[in-house]
mmCIF file of all heavy atoms in Angstrom:
data_model
loop_
_atom_site.group_PDB
_atom_site.id
_atom_site.type_symbol
_atom_site.label_atom_id
_atom_site.label_comp_id
_atom_site.label_asym_id
_atom_site.label_seq_id
_atom_site.Cartn_x
_atom_site.Cartn_y
_atom_site.Cartn_z
ATOM 1 N N ASN A 1 -0.670 -15.772 -1.956
ATOM 2 C CA ASN A 1 -2.027 -16.310 -1.737
ATOM 3 C C ASN A 1 -2.503 -16.296 -0.287
ATOM 4 O O ASN A 1 -3.442 -17.001 0.072
ATOM 5 C CB ASN A 1 -2.158 -17.728 -2.297
ATOM 6 C CG ASN A 1 -2.445 -17.722 -3.798
ATOM 7 O OD1 ASN A 1 -2.455 -16.661 -4.428
ATOM 8 N ND2 ASN A 1 -2.668 -18.874 -4.366
ATOM 9 N N SER A 2 -1.848 -15.477 0.563
ATOM 10 C CA SER A 2 -2.332 -15.324 1.939
ATOM 11 C C SER A 2 -3.555 -14.418 1.950
ATOM 12 O O SER A 2 -3.722 -13.546 1.093
ATOM 13 C CB SER A 2 -1.242 -14.684 2.811
ATOM 14 O OG SER A 2 -0.098 -15.477 2.834
ATOM 15 N N ASN A 3 -4.413 -14.600 2.947
ATOM 16 C CA ASN A 3 -5.549 -13.698 3.116
ATOM 17 C C ASN A 3 -5.045 -12.325 3.547
ATOM 18 O O ASN A 3 -4.021 -12.217 4.220
ATOM 19 C CB ASN A 3 -6.518 -14.242 4.172
ATOM 20 C CG ASN A 3 -7.149 -15.556 3.744
ATOM 21 O OD1 ASN A 3 -7.160 -15.884 2.559
ATOM 22 N ND2 ASN A 3 -7.652 -16.306 4.694
ATOM 23 N N PHE A 4 -5.765 -11.290 3.165
ATOM 24 C CA PHE A 4 -5.345 -9.942 3.559
ATOM 25 C C PHE A 4 -6.555 -9.024 3.691
ATOM 26 O O PHE A 4 -7.675 -9.394 3.336
ATOM 27 C CB PHE A 4 -4.321 -9.360 2.581
ATOM 28 C CG PHE A 4 -4.767 -9.300 1.142
ATOM 29 C CD1 PHE A 4 -5.492 -8.218 0.654
ATOM 30 C CD2 PHE A 4 -4.427 -10.323 0.253
ATOM 31 C CE1 PHE A 4 -5.882 -8.160 -0.675
ATOM 32 C CE2 PHE A 4 -4.816 -10.274 -1.074
ATOM 33 C CZ PHE A 4 -5.545 -9.182 -1.545
ATOM 34 N N SER A 5 -6.325 -7.839 4.227
ATOM 35 C CA SER A 5 -7.391 -6.856 4.372
ATOM 36 C C SER A 5 -7.045 -5.621 3.539
ATOM 37 O O SER A 5 -5.878 -5.375 3.221
ATOM 38 C CB SER A 5 -7.584 -6.473 5.835
ATOM 39 O OG SER A 5 -6.389 -5.958 6.374
ATOM 40 N N VAL A 6 -8.084 -4.850 3.204
ATOM 41 C CA VAL A 6 -7.916 -3.659 2.371
ATOM 42 C C VAL A 6 -8.526 -2.456 3.090
ATOM 43 O O VAL A 6 -9.675 -2.510 3.541
ATOM 44 C CB VAL A 6 -8.599 -3.831 0.996
ATOM 45 C CG1 VAL A 6 -8.486 -2.558 0.165
ATOM 46 C CG2 VAL A 6 -7.996 -5.017 0.248
ATOM 47 N N ALA A 7 -7.743 -1.382 3.210
ATOM 48 C CA ALA A 7 -8.248 -0.138 3.791
ATOM 49 C C ALA A 7 -8.964 0.651 2.694
ATOM 50 O O ALA A 7 -8.392 0.907 1.636
ATOM 51 C CB ALA A 7 -7.092 0.687 4.360
ATOM 52 N N VAL A 8 -10.211 1.022 2.954
ATOM 53 C CA VAL A 8 -11.047 1.667 1.935
ATOM 54 C C VAL A 8 -11.478 3.049 2.419
ATOM 55 O O VAL A 8 -12.236 3.169 3.383
ATOM 56 C CB VAL A 8 -12.310 0.827 1.633
ATOM 57 C CG1 VAL A 8 -13.061 1.411 0.448
ATOM 58 C CG2 VAL A 8 -11.966 -0.629 1.417
ATOM 59 N N SER A 9 -11.010 4.088 1.752
ATOM 60 C CA SER A 9 -11.445 5.438 2.125
ATOM 61 C C SER A 9 -12.701 5.838 1.355
ATOM 62 O O SER A 9 -13.505 6.633 1.828
ATOM 63 C CB SER A 9 -10.325 6.443 1.832
ATOM 64 O OG SER A 9 -10.151 6.598 0.424
ATOM 65 N N GLY A 10 -12.853 5.287 0.157
ATOM 66 C CA GLY A 10 -13.976 5.645 -0.700
ATOM 67 C C GLY A 10 -13.586 6.592 -1.813
ATOM 68 O O GLY A 10 -14.364 6.865 -2.726
ATOM 69 N N GLY A 11 -12.337 7.092 -1.761
ATOM 70 C CA GLY A 11 -11.818 7.940 -2.835
ATOM 71 C C GLY A 11 -11.457 7.112 -4.055
ATOM 72 O O GLY A 11 -11.487 5.873 -4.014
ATOM 73 N N SER A 12 -11.089 7.778 -5.135
ATOM 74 C CA SER A 12 -10.812 7.068 -6.394
ATOM 75 C C SER A 12 -9.643 6.094 -6.266
ATOM 76 O O SER A 12 -9.675 4.994 -6.827
ATOM 77 C CB SER A 12 -10.538 8.075 -7.517
ATOM 78 O OG SER A 12 -9.448 8.917 -7.172
ATOM 79 N N ASP A 13 -8.614 6.460 -5.500
ATOM 80 C CA ASP A 13 -7.441 5.589 -5.349
ATOM 81 C C ASP A 13 -7.827 4.286 -4.648
ATOM 82 O O ASP A 13 -7.478 3.193 -5.091
ATOM 83 C CB ASP A 13 -6.335 6.258 -4.511
ATOM 84 C CG ASP A 13 -6.190 7.737 -4.762
ATOM 85 O OD1 ASP A 13 -6.719 8.215 -5.773
ATOM 86 O OD2 ASP A 13 -5.541 8.401 -3.953
ATOM 87 N N SER A 14 -8.558 4.438 -3.529
ATOM 88 C CA SER A 14 -8.885 3.248 -2.741
ATOM 89 C C SER A 14 -9.907 2.364 -3.444
ATOM 90 O O SER A 14 -9.879 1.146 -3.307
ATOM 91 C CB SER A 14 -9.379 3.636 -1.342
ATOM 92 O OG SER A 14 -10.718 4.010 -1.338
ATOM 93 N N LEU A 15 -10.820 2.966 -4.231
ATOM 94 C CA LEU A 15 -11.782 2.147 -4.967
ATOM 95 C C LEU A 15 -11.092 1.354 -6.078
ATOM 96 O O LEU A 15 -11.477 0.223 -6.371
ATOM 97 C CB LEU A 15 -12.902 3.007 -5.544
ATOM 98 C CG LEU A 15 -13.965 3.478 -4.544
ATOM 99 C CD1 LEU A 15 -15.082 4.231 -5.254
ATOM 100 C CD2 LEU A 15 -14.548 2.316 -3.754
ATOM 101 N N ALA A 16 -10.076 1.948 -6.679
ATOM 102 C CA ALA A 16 -9.281 1.200 -7.661
ATOM 103 C C ALA A 16 -8.580 0.029 -6.969
ATOM 104 O O ALA A 16 -8.530 -1.087 -7.499
ATOM 105 C CB ALA A 16 -8.249 2.115 -8.318
ATOM 106 N N LEU A 17 -8.068 0.265 -5.762
ATOM 107 C CA LEU A 17 -7.442 -0.798 -4.981
ATOM 108 C C LEU A 17 -8.455 -1.890 -4.640
ATOM 109 O O LEU A 17 -8.149 -3.088 -4.727
ATOM 110 C CB LEU A 17 -6.862 -0.214 -3.690
ATOM 111 C CG LEU A 17 -6.197 -1.200 -2.729
ATOM 112 C CD1 LEU A 17 -4.921 -1.775 -3.345
ATOM 113 C CD2 LEU A 17 -5.890 -0.536 -1.385
ATOM 114 N N VAL A 18 -9.658 -1.491 -4.277
ATOM 115 C CA VAL A 18 -10.732 -2.447 -3.984
ATOM 116 C C VAL A 18 -11.021 -3.309 -5.210
ATOM 117 O O VAL A 18 -11.151 -4.533 -5.115
ATOM 118 C CB VAL A 18 -12.021 -1.712 -3.545
ATOM 119 C CG1 VAL A 18 -13.228 -2.649 -3.543
ATOM 120 C CG2 VAL A 18 -11.844 -1.098 -2.167
ATOM 121 N N TYR A 19 -11.100 -2.658 -6.376
ATOM 122 C CA TYR A 19 -11.409 -3.386 -7.613
ATOM 123 C C TYR A 19 -10.339 -4.433 -7.920
ATOM 124 O O TYR A 19 -10.648 -5.612 -8.162
ATOM 125 C CB TYR A 19 -11.540 -2.426 -8.789
ATOM 126 C CG TYR A 19 -11.573 -3.137 -10.115
ATOM 127 C CD1 TYR A 19 -12.658 -3.948 -10.462
ATOM 128 C CD2 TYR A 19 -10.504 -3.051 -11.016
ATOM 129 C CE1 TYR A 19 -12.685 -4.651 -11.653
ATOM 130 C CE2 TYR A 19 -10.517 -3.736 -12.214
ATOM 131 C CZ TYR A 19 -11.612 -4.533 -12.529
ATOM 132 O OH TYR A 19 -11.629 -5.237 -13.702
ATOM 133 N N PHE A 20 -9.066 -4.018 -7.902
ATOM 134 C CA PHE A 20 -7.986 -4.951 -8.225
ATOM 135 C C PHE A 20 -7.898 -6.077 -7.180
ATOM 136 O O PHE A 20 -7.609 -7.232 -7.522
ATOM 137 C CB PHE A 20 -6.657 -4.215 -8.341
ATOM 138 C CG PHE A 20 -6.577 -3.295 -9.529
ATOM 139 C CD1 PHE A 20 -6.281 -1.948 -9.380
ATOM 140 C CD2 PHE A 20 -6.813 -3.782 -10.807
ATOM 141 C CE1 PHE A 20 -6.218 -1.101 -10.484
ATOM 142 C CE2 PHE A 20 -6.751 -2.955 -11.916
ATOM 143 C CZ PHE A 20 -6.462 -1.602 -11.751
ATOM 144 N N SER A 21 -8.163 -5.743 -5.921
ATOM 145 C CA SER A 21 -8.157 -6.764 -4.864
ATOM 146 C C SER A 21 -9.275 -7.774 -5.075
ATOM 147 O O SER A 21 -9.075 -8.984 -4.890
ATOM 148 C CB SER A 21 -8.317 -6.097 -3.487
ATOM 149 O OG SER A 21 -7.275 -5.193 -3.245
ATOM 150 N N LYS A 22 -10.445 -7.280 -5.455
ATOM 151 C CA LYS A 22 -11.584 -8.169 -5.689
ATOM 152 C C LYS A 22 -11.305 -9.104 -6.860
ATOM 153 O O LYS A 22 -11.593 -10.312 -6.800
ATOM 154 C CB LYS A 22 -12.845 -7.348 -5.948
ATOM 155 C CG LYS A 22 -14.115 -8.190 -6.158
ATOM 156 C CD LYS A 22 -14.484 -8.972 -4.921
ATOM 157 C CE LYS A 22 -15.762 -9.784 -5.124
ATOM 158 N NZ LYS A 22 -16.086 -10.620 -3.954
ATOM 159 N N CYS A 23 -10.735 -8.567 -7.929
ATOM 160 C CA CYS A 23 -10.366 -9.404 -9.081
ATOM 161 C C CYS A 23 -9.366 -10.480 -8.658
ATOM 162 O O CYS A 23 -9.482 -11.643 -9.059
ATOM 163 C CB CYS A 23 -9.759 -8.545 -10.190
ATOM 164 S SG CYS A 23 -10.947 -7.469 -11.016
ATOM 165 N N TYR A 24 -8.393 -10.080 -7.844
ATOM 166 C CA TYR A 24 -7.381 -11.026 -7.364
ATOM 167 C C TYR A 24 -8.027 -12.131 -6.540
ATOM 168 O O TYR A 24 -7.690 -13.313 -6.685
ATOM 169 C CB TYR A 24 -6.338 -10.281 -6.533
ATOM 170 C CG TYR A 24 -5.210 -11.152 -6.034
ATOM 171 C CD1 TYR A 24 -4.081 -11.379 -6.817
ATOM 172 C CD2 TYR A 24 -5.278 -11.759 -4.787
ATOM 173 C CE1 TYR A 24 -3.049 -12.190 -6.364
ATOM 174 C CE2 TYR A 24 -4.254 -12.565 -4.324
ATOM 175 C CZ TYR A 24 -3.139 -12.778 -5.112
ATOM 176 O OH TYR A 24 -2.126 -13.586 -4.663
ATOM 177 N N SER A 25 -8.988 -11.768 -5.682
ATOM 178 C CA SER A 25 -9.648 -12.764 -4.825
ATOM 179 C C SER A 25 -10.488 -13.742 -5.649
ATOM 180 O O SER A 25 -10.536 -14.934 -5.353
ATOM 181 C CB SER A 25 -10.517 -12.073 -3.771
ATOM 182 O OG SER A 25 -11.683 -11.533 -4.345
ATOM 183 N N ILE A 26 -11.133 -13.234 -6.714
ATOM 184 C CA ILE A 26 -11.943 -14.092 -7.586
ATOM 185 C C ILE A 26 -11.056 -15.085 -8.332
ATOM 186 O O ILE A 26 -11.345 -16.282 -8.398
ATOM 187 C CB ILE A 26 -12.757 -13.246 -8.594
ATOM 188 C CG1 ILE A 26 -13.781 -12.365 -7.870
ATOM 189 C CG2 ILE A 26 -13.464 -14.146 -9.604
ATOM 190 C CD1 ILE A 26 -14.401 -11.284 -8.755
ATOM 191 N N LEU A 27 -9.961 -14.566 -8.885
ATOM 192 C CA LEU A 27 -9.091 -15.388 -9.729
ATOM 193 C C LEU A 27 -8.194 -16.335 -8.939
ATOM 194 O O LEU A 27 -7.716 -17.332 -9.472
ATOM 195 C CB LEU A 27 -8.227 -14.487 -10.616
ATOM 196 C CG LEU A 27 -8.997 -13.647 -11.648
ATOM 197 C CD1 LEU A 27 -8.074 -12.621 -12.292
ATOM 198 C CD2 LEU A 27 -9.626 -14.537 -12.717
ATOM 199 N N ASN A 28 -7.958 -16.019 -7.660
ATOM 200 C CA ASN A 28 -7.027 -16.833 -6.869
ATOM 201 C C ASN A 28 -7.669 -17.467 -5.637
ATOM 202 O O ASN A 28 -6.973 -18.066 -4.820
ATOM 203 C CB ASN A 28 -5.831 -15.970 -6.431
ATOM 204 C CG ASN A 28 -5.017 -15.491 -7.611
ATOM 205 O OD1 ASN A 28 -4.160 -16.193 -8.121
ATOM 206 N ND2 ASN A 28 -5.293 -14.270 -8.055
ATOM 207 N N ASN A 29 -8.985 -17.297 -5.521
ATOM 208 C CA ASN A 29 -9.728 -17.903 -4.408
ATOM 209 C C ASN A 29 -9.134 -17.522 -3.051
ATOM 210 O O ASN A 29 -8.866 -18.371 -2.195
ATOM 211 C CB ASN A 29 -9.761 -19.429 -4.556
ATOM 212 C CG ASN A 29 -10.807 -20.060 -3.645
ATOM 213 O OD1 ASN A 29 -11.822 -19.438 -3.336
ATOM 214 N ND2 ASN A 29 -10.558 -21.284 -3.213
ATOM 215 N N VAL A 30 -8.912 -16.222 -2.877
ATOM 216 C CA VAL A 30 -8.333 -15.696 -1.644
ATOM 217 C C VAL A 30 -9.385 -14.864 -0.912
ATOM 218 O O VAL A 30 -10.088 -14.070 -1.529
ATOM 219 C CB VAL A 30 -7.095 -14.814 -1.947
ATOM 220 C CG1 VAL A 30 -6.611 -14.099 -0.707
ATOM 221 C CG2 VAL A 30 -5.978 -15.666 -2.540
ATOM 222 N N LYS A 31 -9.474 -15.036 0.401
ATOM 223 C CA LYS A 31 -10.433 -14.275 1.194
ATOM 224 C C LYS A 31 -9.849 -12.898 1.525
ATOM 225 O O LYS A 31 -8.696 -12.793 1.935
ATOM 226 C CB LYS A 31 -10.769 -15.013 2.495
ATOM 227 C CG LYS A 31 -11.752 -14.261 3.394
ATOM 228 C CD LYS A 31 -12.161 -15.085 4.596
ATOM 229 C CE LYS A 31 -12.935 -14.269 5.620
ATOM 230 N NZ LYS A 31 -14.072 -13.538 5.074
ATOM 231 N N ILE A 32 -10.666 -11.855 1.347
ATOM 232 C CA ILE A 32 -10.226 -10.496 1.621
ATOM 233 C C ILE A 32 -11.246 -9.804 2.527
ATOM 234 O O ILE A 32 -12.448 -9.924 2.322
ATOM 235 C CB ILE A 32 -10.054 -9.685 0.320
ATOM 236 C CG1 ILE A 32 -9.001 -10.335 -0.583
ATOM 237 C CG2 ILE A 32 -9.656 -8.250 0.622
ATOM 238 C CD1 ILE A 32 -8.824 -9.657 -1.917
ATOM 239 N N ASN A 33 -10.744 -9.071 3.521
ATOM 240 C CA ASN A 33 -11.594 -8.252 4.380
ATOM 241 C C ASN A 33 -11.423 -6.792 3.986
ATOM 242 O O ASN A 33 -10.289 -6.314 3.834
ATOM 243 C CB ASN A 33 -11.210 -8.435 5.851
ATOM 244 C CG ASN A 33 -11.524 -9.823 6.366
ATOM 245 O OD1 ASN A 33 -10.932 -10.804 5.921
ATOM 246 N ND2 ASN A 33 -12.450 -9.925 7.294
ATOM 247 N N TYR A 34 -12.526 -6.084 3.835
ATOM 248 C CA TYR A 34 -12.499 -4.667 3.456
ATOM 249 C C TYR A 34 -12.971 -3.825 4.639
ATOM 250 O O TYR A 34 -14.022 -4.106 5.225
ATOM 251 C CB TYR A 34 -13.405 -4.421 2.251
ATOM 252 C CG TYR A 34 -13.013 -5.204 1.014
ATOM 253 C CD1 TYR A 34 -13.490 -6.499 0.805
ATOM 254 C CD2 TYR A 34 -12.151 -4.663 0.074
ATOM 255 C CE1 TYR A 34 -13.124 -7.224 -0.322
ATOM 256 C CE2 TYR A 34 -11.775 -5.377 -1.061
ATOM 257 C CZ TYR A 34 -12.263 -6.665 -1.251
ATOM 258 O OH TYR A 34 -11.896 -7.381 -2.361
ATOM 259 N N TYR A 35 -12.178 -2.781 4.979
ATOM 260 C CA TYR A 35 -12.521 -1.937 6.120
ATOM 261 C C TYR A 35 -12.523 -0.451 5.735
ATOM 262 O O TYR A 35 -11.601 0.029 5.069
ATOM 263 C CB TYR A 35 -11.520 -2.139 7.253
ATOM 264 C CG TYR A 35 -11.517 -3.535 7.812
ATOM 265 C CD1 TYR A 35 -10.416 -4.373 7.643
ATOM 266 C CD2 TYR A 35 -12.621 -4.032 8.508
ATOM 267 C CE1 TYR A 35 -10.408 -5.660 8.156
ATOM 268 C CE2 TYR A 35 -12.622 -5.320 9.023
ATOM 269 C CZ TYR A 35 -11.517 -6.128 8.841
ATOM 270 O OH TYR A 35 -11.511 -7.410 9.333
ATOM 271 N N HIS A 36 -13.570 0.216 6.163
ATOM 272 C CA HIS A 36 -13.664 1.672 5.982
ATOM 273 C C HIS A 36 -13.765 2.317 7.363
ATOM 274 O O HIS A 36 -14.494 1.825 8.228
ATOM 275 C CB HIS A 36 -14.905 2.025 5.148
ATOM 276 C CG HIS A 36 -15.191 3.501 5.098
ATOM 277 N ND1 HIS A 36 -14.426 4.385 4.360
ATOM 278 C CD2 HIS A 36 -16.152 4.255 5.715
ATOM 279 C CE1 HIS A 36 -14.914 5.605 4.508
ATOM 280 N NE2 HIS A 36 -15.947 5.555 5.327
ATOM 281 N N ILE A 37 -13.042 3.411 7.585
ATOM 282 C CA ILE A 37 -13.076 4.114 8.868
ATOM 283 C C ILE A 37 -14.027 5.308 8.777
ATOM 284 O O ILE A 37 -13.831 6.208 7.962
ATOM 285 C CB ILE A 37 -11.673 4.619 9.286
ATOM 286 C CG1 ILE A 37 -10.635 3.499 9.196
ATOM 287 C CG2 ILE A 37 -11.733 5.231 10.686
ATOM 288 C CD1 ILE A 37 -10.850 2.341 10.108
ATOM 289 N N ASP A 38 -15.059 5.287 9.609
ATOM 290 C CA ASP A 38 -15.939 6.451 9.744
ATOM 291 C C ASP A 38 -15.342 7.325 10.841
ATOM 292 O O ASP A 38 -15.517 7.077 12.031
ATOM 293 C CB ASP A 38 -17.362 5.999 10.120
ATOM 294 C CG ASP A 38 -18.308 7.181 10.300
ATOM 295 O OD1 ASP A 38 -17.892 8.330 10.015
ATOM 296 O OD2 ASP A 38 -19.452 6.960 10.738
ATOM 297 N N HIS A 39 -14.607 8.365 10.429
ATOM 298 C CA HIS A 39 -13.855 9.186 11.382
ATOM 299 C C HIS A 39 -14.724 10.198 12.125
ATOM 300 O O HIS A 39 -14.330 10.738 13.154
ATOM 301 C CB HIS A 39 -12.721 9.928 10.668
ATOM 302 C CG HIS A 39 -13.156 10.613 9.409
ATOM 303 N ND1 HIS A 39 -14.047 11.660 9.404
ATOM 304 C CD2 HIS A 39 -12.836 10.381 8.119
ATOM 305 C CE1 HIS A 39 -14.248 12.061 8.167
ATOM 306 N NE2 HIS A 39 -13.528 11.291 7.348
ATOM 307 N N LYS A 40 -15.906 10.479 11.593
ATOM 308 C CA LYS A 40 -16.853 11.424 12.208
ATOM 309 C C LYS A 40 -16.256 12.827 12.387
ATOM 310 O O LYS A 40 -16.619 13.563 13.303
ATOM 311 C CB LYS A 40 -17.344 10.886 13.561
ATOM 312 C CG LYS A 40 -18.132 9.585 13.458
ATOM 313 C CD LYS A 40 -18.641 9.142 14.808
ATOM 314 C CE LYS A 40 -19.398 7.827 14.698
ATOM 315 N NZ LYS A 40 -20.675 7.969 13.993
ATOM 316 N N LEU A 41 -15.340 13.182 11.488
ATOM 317 C CA LEU A 41 -14.772 14.532 11.524
ATOM 318 C C LEU A 41 -15.642 15.520 10.750
ATOM 319 O O LEU A 41 -15.554 16.723 10.943
ATOM 320 C CB LEU A 41 -13.356 14.525 10.930
ATOM 321 C CG LEU A 41 -12.281 13.862 11.799
ATOM 322 C CD1 LEU A 41 -11.004 13.673 10.998
ATOM 323 C CD2 LEU A 41 -12.006 14.678 13.048
ATOM 324 N N ARG A 42 -16.458 14.981 9.851
ATOM 325 C CA ARG A 42 -17.412 15.803 9.096
ATOM 326 C C ARG A 42 -18.823 15.272 9.333
ATOM 327 O O ARG A 42 -19.013 14.077 9.542
ATOM 328 C CB ARG A 42 -17.075 15.762 7.592
ATOM 329 C CG ARG A 42 -15.771 16.421 7.235
ATOM 330 C CD ARG A 42 -15.520 16.409 5.738
ATOM 331 N NE ARG A 42 -15.111 15.104 5.255
ATOM 332 C CZ ARG A 42 -15.871 14.299 4.529
ATOM 333 N NH1 ARG A 42 -17.125 14.649 4.217
ATOM 334 N NH2 ARG A 42 -15.421 13.136 4.114
ATOM 335 N N ASN A 43 -19.805 16.154 9.272
ATOM 336 C CA ASN A 43 -21.193 15.767 9.547
ATOM 337 C C ASN A 43 -21.684 14.668 8.606
ATOM 338 O O ASN A 43 -22.496 13.835 8.977
ATOM 339 C CB ASN A 43 -22.125 16.985 9.445
ATOM 340 C CG ASN A 43 -21.854 17.994 10.552
ATOM 341 O OD1 ASN A 43 -21.437 17.626 11.637
ATOM 342 N ND2 ASN A 43 -22.086 19.268 10.270
ATOM 343 N N GLU A 44 -21.169 14.711 7.374
ATOM 344 C CA GLU A 44 -21.657 13.773 6.355
ATOM 345 C C GLU A 44 -20.880 12.456 6.314
ATOM 346 O O GLU A 44 -21.170 11.587 5.487
ATOM 347 C CB GLU A 44 -21.626 14.429 4.965
ATOM 348 C CG GLU A 44 -20.260 14.907 4.492
ATOM 349 C CD GLU A 44 -19.929 16.322 4.909
ATOM 350 O OE1 GLU A 44 -20.429 16.779 5.954
ATOM 351 O OE2 GLU A 44 -19.147 16.979 4.194
ATOM 352 N N SER A 45 -19.887 12.278 7.197
ATOM 353 C CA SER A 45 -19.021 11.088 7.103
ATOM 354 C C SER A 45 -19.803 9.777 7.298
ATOM 355 O O SER A 45 -19.540 8.793 6.616
ATOM 356 C CB SER A 45 -17.871 11.171 8.108
ATOM 357 O OG SER A 45 -18.335 10.983 9.429
ATOM 358 N N SER A 46 -20.764 9.766 8.219
ATOM 359 C CA SER A 46 -21.522 8.529 8.468
ATOM 360 C C SER A 46 -22.429 8.168 7.296
ATOM 361 O O SER A 46 -22.554 6.999 6.929
ATOM 362 C CB SER A 46 -22.357 8.671 9.748
ATOM 363 O OG SER A 46 -21.506 8.762 10.874
#
């Protein structure tokens, strides 16, 4: 039940992780921080 952060790439794997983390936070009243890295390696990344 400690607070934690989630790395979010936006791909299918990380979105599934986001979903399960969000469900966990709702059911256990845990605060979660979500972070996405804009690497700017591609023109469309931003």
Side-chain angles (χ1 to χ4, degrees):
N1 277 5
S2 300
N3 296 340
F4 57 86
S5 58
V6 177
V8 188
S9 70
S12 58
D13 322 344
S14 81
L15 284 184
L17 178 67
V18 167
Y19 168 68
F20 292 124
S21 300
K22 182 64 179 176
C23 290
Y24 182 87
S25 73
I26 296 167
L27 295 170
N28 296 277
N29 195 30
V30 172
K31 179 174 170 52
I32 299 176
N33 292 66
Y34 300 87
Y35 297 113
H36 171 73
I37 310 297
D38 179 6
H39 48 65
K40 297 183 181 291
L41 288 169
R42 293 183 284 108
N43 293 330
E44 59 271 28
S45 72
S46 293

